[in-house]
Amino acid sequence: MIRRGNTIAVARFAVVLLAGHCAALYAEDTSAGKHAGETSAGNSLGYEFVGQVLNASTTQSLQYGYLNSVPGLDTVSTTGPVSEASALLSFYNDTTTQHVINNGPIRVIDRTGTATIFFNGSGGGDFTNPDTFRAGNPIQTCTLRHQVIIDTSSGYFTASFEMTITSVRVFQINGSGYVLGKPGEVYHWSVYGKLTQQGPPSAQIAGFASGSRAASISVD
């Protein structure tokens, strides 16, 4: 028979062990998080975007559009509500198909390529002309890979992008300097879209980035 005093002592000892174990796990998680933060943007909500897709051939897919919200920036528009015509920041991706897998009505497409975000102080994007979304100065370039999962019965799809920043460039809005991310940073896009019945475009998309927020920087 175990006495009450011994039971309490054992319980206290177990609590101490558990607390120490949890503290060790927390320390490891924190350390890992800091280490990952050196190259990864994490899961915080970054910029948001609206765009379109043009499948130029059986192997080439272009994605382009504008950023409609960027944490760290007071404005993303030349004037009034942001739209493709007034957006200060645009994107243009050029990707090549690597694999296609059909599984009943589900189609999986893997692609690799490059992505560039541009700053254009006068705006001027036009969805009838994809090249207008690569006007201006490149402020972030990336290599990318993505997976698209399409429900061919409805035309709706989701896509996950992994973006690895290769270069950034300072840009100015209202006299203040900013950078969007840093070289070596890895972040992701979450995209939702729908194929069109007749193109162009091949699809409309919208989504958001994890991380890659704008940071102010001195331009003196």
Side-chain angles (χ1 to χ4, degrees):
M1 178 176 180
I2 299 175
R3 295 182 180 180
R4 184 165 177 256
N6 290 339
T7 302
I8 292 174
V10 171
R12 287 176 176 171
F13 182 66
V15 169
V16 170
L17 285 178
L18 180 60
H21 181 62
C22 290
L25 287 177
Y26 178 78
E28 290 174 4
D29 290 345
T30 302
S31 175
K34 288 181 179 179
H35 179 71
E38 294 174 1
T39 57
S40 176
N43 296 316
S44 60
L45 183 64
Y47 59 79
E48 301 173 27
F49 55 88
V50 175
Q52 294 186 356
V53 177
L54 178 62
N55 294 328
S57 70
T58 56
T59 58
Q60 184 186 34
S61 178
L62 307 174
Q63 304 98 43
Y64 48 88
Y66 64 95
L67 277 56
N68 62 288
S69 175
V70 181
L73 297 182
D74 292 332
T75 182
V76 291
S77 173
T78 57
T79 181
V82 64
S83 67
E84 69 271 22
S86 66
L88 294 172
L89 301 172
S90 61
F91 68 90
Y92 191 96
N93 303 343
D94 190 344
T95 63
T96 301
T97 300
Q98 303 298 329
H99 305 285
V100 178
I101 299 173
N102 293 300
N103 181 19
I106 302 300
R107 178 172 298 153
V108 180
I109 304 173
D110 292 328
R111 297 189 179 104
T112 59
T114 59
T116 306
I117 296 177
F118 297 87
F119 174 78
N120 189 341
S122 58
D126 181 354
F127 277 126
T128 64
N129 183 1
D131 283 339
T132 59
F133 293 99
R134 53 179 174 177
N137 297 318
I139 61 169
Q140 183 191 98
T141 60
C142 299
T143 58
L144 73 82
R145 60 186 298 271
H146 75 228
Q147 181 194 65
V148 184
I149 301 178
I150 305 171
D151 179 351
T152 59
S153 65
S154 67
Y156 287 100
F157 62 88
T158 60
S160 298
F161 286 64
E162 181 180 84
M163 320 286 274
T164 302
I165 300 177
T166 54
S167 69
V168 296
R169 182 176 179 179
V170 177
F171 61 99
Q172 294 188 51
I173 297 177
N174 297 330
S176 297
Y178 301 92
V179 290
L180 190 63
K182 60 183 180 181
E185 177 183 315
V186 178
Y187 69 98
H188 300 84
W189 277 14
S190 296
V191 179
Y192 184 76
K194 189 178 190 304
L195 300 176
T196 57
Q197 295 294 324
Q198 294 181 339
S202 304
Q204 286 95 13
I205 59 173
F208 63 91
S210 63
S212 200
R213 304 160 64 94
S216 61
I217 189 170
S218 175
V219 292
D220 293 339

